[in-house]
């Protein structure tokens, strides 16, 4: 049996709790979590290869040129990206990969890997999203409103995703995501070979059975 | 909120255990089970409206003419069919409907209701399928081989289905089907309205939230 793993993309506006959901997912099951690369300096307590892969600008650009990112972006002069080879190797080995990423990043990943499972995390309500963004409390009223309006607009991108999961409670959201993963593994259009039966040998193709 | 229910079609070759799976599904959760109509005579112990809806040939043909079947077929001079109105009403009311049906029937249902969730039940192996068909023990060697060959050919229709579930154990198969149902309810393409945000009112469309 040579089943490949799934790339499970957990995405949505900031403040919807996608980080908490991913932590809970990994706590329940041994998923491989994709770690981003960045050229920004490590903050206190951040460990290379855990928080991020910290790269020099030269290294990062070199890897862009080698097409080694599923997506990358420049934000305020720093580069951020999702390393490609590690993710693809893990999927090939049959293990599922979790990728937590913002909406712009997810849409780029989808261009490069349309076979992923794209899950949009929604806040319980827009009121609750406002509360969550406000509670972080590190920003001015104006920047809060900007972030809220941005999150609000971003919800329109939901149509580009396969699934929408409302984050009412983390447990329920994680249950739904686990069901989505299990269901995706049963999808007929994920079975690689079109010939289910080998007409000569009369054997059901091994892909149907673990 | 006005979410419609799902039509969950459980299908596959005879001997794969789809009947047992459906019983176990309904035992776990209060699904509405679609009951077939037939013109054949009730057998001892069969109750009208439970085993089947027993109709006269005239009534049956009248309902065919009124387009009141999701599918129907004539077998050895008797009619069999899946009544349409009851299934559609139940789905409209928001409740999920289970329909256990053979492959030819499922393909006709798909023509009339492509929005259904079509699940193909596979035997643990072709050897096991042979054992299961043989164990019923009411048939000659020749008719057993005919049934086995038929089941064998029918597996090719799996490509017309959305999901494939191997019936290794009933419990595992039922878990998978429950995950499929939960995942389907999260599918973005099941959200009716393309406008997620009402641009005038600035409200997330109610369909996203229960």
């Amino acid at each position: 049996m040579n089943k490949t793993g799934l790339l499970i993309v957990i995405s949505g506006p900031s403040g919807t709790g996608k980080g908490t959901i991913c932590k809970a997912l990994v706590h329940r099951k041994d998923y491989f979590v994709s770690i981003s690369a960045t050229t920004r300096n490590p903050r206190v307590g951040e460990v290379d290869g855990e928080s991020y892969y910290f790269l020099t600008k030269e290294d990062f650009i070199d890897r862009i040129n080698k097409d080694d990112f599923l997506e990358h972006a420049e934000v305020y002069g720093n580069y951020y990206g999702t390393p490609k080879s590690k993710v693809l190797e893990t999927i090939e080995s049959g293990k599922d990969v979790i990728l937590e990423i913002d909406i712009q990043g997810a849409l780029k990943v989808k261009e490069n890997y349309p076979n992923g499972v794209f899950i949009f995390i929604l806040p319980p309500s827009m009121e609750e999203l406002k509360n969550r963004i406000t509670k972080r409390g590190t920003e001015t009223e104006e920047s809060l409103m900007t972030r809220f309006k941005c999150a609000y607009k971003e919800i329109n991108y939901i149509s580009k995703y396969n699934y929408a999961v409302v984050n009412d409670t983390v447990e329920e959201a994680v249950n739904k995501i686990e069901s989505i993963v299990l269901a995706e593994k049963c999808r007929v259009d994920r079975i690689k070979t079109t010939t289910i039966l080998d007409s000569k040998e009369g054997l059901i193709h091994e892909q149907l059975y673990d």
Side-chain angles (χ1 to χ4, degrees), chain A:
Chain A
M1 242 339 275
N2 221 342
K3 266 186 185 157
T4 55
L6 296 174
L7 176 61
I8 304 148
V9 180
I10 308 288
S11 179
S14 88
T16 50
K18 52 185 188 294
T20 313
I21 287 174
C22 285
K23 277 195 195 81
L25 266 171
V26 175
H27 191 74
R28 275 212 213 164
K29 206 184 134 188
D30 180 32
Y31 292 103
F32 175 87
V33 180
S34 169
I35 295 162
S36 297
T38 183
T39 58
R40 78 153 166 75
N41 291 324
R43 291 178 193 144
V44 178
E46 286 185 336
V47 179
D48 185 43
E50 282 183 24
S51 321
Y52 283 95
Y53 293 110
F54 293 102
L55 302 181
T56 63
K57 202 164 179 176
E58 291 67 36
D59 281 348
F60 202 103
I61 290 168
D62 186 45
R63 288 174 71 166
I64 294 175
N65 292 334
K66 285 178 177 156
D67 190 29
D68 194 23
F69 288 108
L70 279 173
E71 58 77 37
H72 68 274
E74 202 185 335
V75 184
Y76 303 125
N78 290 313
Y79 285 100
Y80 294 84
T82 304
K84 187 195 263 182
S85 46
K86 189 72 191 163
V87 167
L88 296 190
E89 274 164 31
T90 308
I91 290 170
E92 271 310 306
S93 80
K95 200 165 175 176
D96 301 324
V97 175
I98 298 273
L99 172 59
E100 182 205 335
I101 194 163
D102 64 17
I103 292 168
Q104 298 311 315
L107 298 182
K108 284 190 205 164
V109 172
K110 203 182 173 196
E111 281 172 28
N112 286 315
Y113 198 81
N115 215 14
V117 181
F118 293 83
I119 303 173
F120 195 99
I121 307 297
L122 284 158
S125 66
M126 289 316 276
E127 200 48 46
E128 182 56 27
L129 178 65
K130 206 166 178 178
N131 289 341
R132 288 181 191 192
I133 291 177
T134 313
K135 266 183 201 158
R136 295 189 175 179
T138 52
E139 293 167 80
T140 64
E141 183 69 19
E142 203 186 332
S143 80
L144 282 176
M145 276 319 289
T146 309
R147 286 191 56 182
F148 179 66
K149 278 182 190 162
C150 177
Y152 190 85
K153 270 189 194 164
E154 282 188 319
I155 289 182
N156 279 309
Y157 287 106
I158 199 168
S159 61
K160 307 278 186 193
Y161 286 71
N162 305 116
Y163 297 96
V165 169
V166 176
N167 187 15
D168 275 323
T169 71
V170 173
E171 204 195 336
E172 254 188 89
V174 169
N175 285 342
K176 283 179 183 171
I177 294 169
E178 288 198 323
S179 288
I180 290 167
V181 172
L182 195 55
E184 282 285 331
K185 288 175 192 287
C186 295
R187 285 191 74 85
V188 169
D189 55 16
R190 284 203 180 274
I191 299 167
K192 275 185 197 161
T193 322
T194 49
T195 314
I196 302 298
L197 287 168
D198 180 323
S199 54
K200 270 190 194 155
E201 298 295 325
L203 292 166
I204 290 190
H205 194 281
E206 60 169 2
Q207 285 214 51
L208 285 171
Y209 296 104
D210 286 297

